[in-house]
């Protein structure tokens, strides 16, 4: 593990206890949870599907997917995030498989999925384009890659030492991410999300969007 990867792992592990305090992380408010549920149901198949949630964090989106009847596998580099995800689904009486590992190369062997979901992750990856290739390779024929991403407004808060070397540090605009994904898939669409305040627990000023791409 490189020093940067180790620092990133430590950062998110330390963030785990308070991670769900952010409205769009914990989804504790009814409006916020319902807004994400509506979006996920629109982005995923109507019938039960195998979904890989990369960078799953504390499992809030995984829980919504499991509640909708999908078979969910979550992967996160931070062990404490995975602990919370397991506890969250267990307390809700929902099934889910959660693995500690690098979201860029999920430790799921030869398993293939109907959906690979990634939210707010690509900016933290040392090689995000390699991760995109890896994720599309994990899709079954006619599967879909769902990327919920953004170009984040500068907050002045530090991330980790060395983060400036990350290719997409600070996020990526929809046009640039779509250009990176398009050669890997047969089709894609972009959905702007900045104006849907219910998703974020209030208005936001930066660019947020989803890319739904088809194998």
């Amino acid at each position: 593990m490189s020093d940067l990867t180790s620092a990133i792992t430590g950062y998110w592990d330390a963030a785990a206890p308070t991670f769900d305090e952010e409205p769009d992380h914990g989804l504790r408010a009814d409006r916020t949870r319902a807004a994400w549920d509506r979006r996920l149901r629109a982005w995923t198949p109507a019938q039960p599907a195998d979904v890989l949630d990369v960078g799953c964090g504390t499992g809030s989106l995984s829980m919504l997917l499991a509640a909708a009847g999908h078979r969910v596998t979550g992967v996160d580099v931070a062990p404490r995030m995975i602990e919370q995800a397991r506890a969250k689904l267990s307390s809700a009486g929902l099934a889910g498989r959660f693995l500690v590992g690098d979201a860029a190369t999920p430790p799921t062997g030869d398993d293939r999925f109907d959906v690979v979901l990634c939210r707010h992750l690509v900016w933290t990856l040392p090689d995000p384009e390699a991760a995109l290739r890896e994720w599309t390779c994990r899709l079954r024929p006619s599967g879909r890659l769902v990327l919920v991403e953004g170009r984040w407004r500068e907050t002045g808060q530090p991330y980790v030492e060395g983060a400036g070397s990350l290719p997409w540090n600070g996020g990526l605009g929809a046009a640039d991410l779509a250009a990176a994904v398009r050669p890997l898939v047969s089709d894609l669409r972009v959905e702007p999300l900045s104006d849907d305040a219910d998703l974020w627990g209030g208005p936001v000023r930066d660019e947020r969007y989803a890319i739904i791409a088809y194998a």
Side-chain angles (χ1 to χ4, degrees):
M1 181 183 293
S2 70
D3 289 344
L4 180 56
T5 301
S6 179
I8 290 171
T9 301
Y11 178 92
W12 294 112
D13 223 30
T18 59
F19 189 76
D20 280 355
E21 293 176 5
E22 289 293 326
D24 58 314
H25 293 171
L27 310 186
R28 291 168 174 168
D30 290 343
R31 275 179 88 116
T32 304
R33 186 168 56 254
W36 281 104
D37 186 55
R38 286 193 299 271
R39 294 284 182 168
L40 289 173
R41 288 178 185 270
W43 297 334
T44 57
Q47 69 277 13
D50 293 309
V51 181
L52 176 60
D53 184 1
V54 293
C56 66
T58 60
S60 294
L61 297 189
S62 292
M63 186 167 71
L64 291 179
L65 292 163
H70 298 303
R71 298 172 294 272
V72 181
T73 298
V75 174
D76 201 280
V77 73
R80 289 181 183 176
M81 293 284 192
I82 291 296
E83 287 174 8
Q84 291 200 39
R86 288 171 178 158
K88 188 176 290 186
L89 269 74
S90 177
S91 66
L94 297 168
R97 177 176 62 151
F98 292 96
L99 307 171
V100 176
D102 186 349
T105 54
T108 55
D110 294 330
D111 293 350
R112 293 296 177 266
F113 298 89
D114 302 300
V115 180
V116 174
L117 169 69
C118 168
R119 182 176 71 159
H120 301 174
L121 176 67
V122 298
W123 68 278
T124 73
L125 300 177
D127 191 345
E129 292 185 300
L132 293 173
R133 293 191 295 271
E134 184 70 26
W135 296 338
T136 55
C137 287
R138 304 296 179 103
L139 291 171
R140 292 181 176 135
S142 75
R144 61 190 78 175
L145 175 66
V146 179
L147 304 172
V148 182
E149 295 296 341
R151 177 65 182 168
W152 317 119
R153 181 174 54 85
E154 293 296 330
T155 64
Q157 297 177 345
Y159 180 34
V160 298
E161 185 177 354
S165 68
L166 296 170
W168 293 349
N169 183 43
L172 196 67
D176 290 330
L177 184 54
V181 173
R182 191 167 282 112
L184 307 173
V185 299
S186 63
D187 193 20
L188 64 77
R189 70 178 190 274
V190 178
E191 292 187 15
L193 301 178
S194 298
D195 291 339
D196 190 346
D198 287 343
L199 289 173
W200 318 112
V204 296
R205 291 185 289 166
D206 43 25
E207 181 185 6
R208 305 189 187 194
Y209 59 89
I211 289 177
I212 301 88
Y214 298 86

